[in-house]
Amino acid sequence: MRPDLFGEGQSTRPGNLVVKVGSEGWGSVDATVLLDRLLQSLAPLWEGGAAERDEAFGDSFGPFCEG
C-alpha cells in the first residue's frame, strides 16, 4: 500500500522502511519518526475503530474507547 516506504514488486520489504527513514536522517534512524511512519502506513489495514477528524487510529485504541 505504501511503495514510497516499503518498495515495489520484488523489492517490497518491511525493512525498506528503516532504510528510507535512515536516508532522511543522515544515516541515523529516529525511533519516533520510524514509529510514526509505521503507524501511518499500517493504519489503513484496520477499518473502523477510533478516529479524530480525518485521522484514523485503526483498532489500537479499541479497549480504551467509550461508547
Side-chain angles (χ1 to χ4, degrees):
M1 294 174 58
R2 294 290 307 266
D4 59 316
L5 297 176
F6 300 108
E8 289 186 84
Q10 295 285 332
S11 65
T12 302
R13 298 178 53 116
N16 286 343
L17 177 62
V18 176
V19 173
K20 174 72 173 168
V21 172
S23 69
E24 295 171 356
W26 299 90
S28 64
V29 176
D30 183 335
T32 57
V33 173
L34 182 62
L35 180 60
D36 182 61
R37 298 273 175 86
L38 183 63
L39 293 176
Q40 284 180 18
S41 63
L42 296 178
L45 295 175
W46 297 280
E47 294 185 15
E52 184 174 321
R53 293 185 208 94
D54 62 345
E55 185 73 31
F57 301 121
D59 67 352
S60 61
F61 291 92
F64 305 106
C65 292
E66 294 183 21

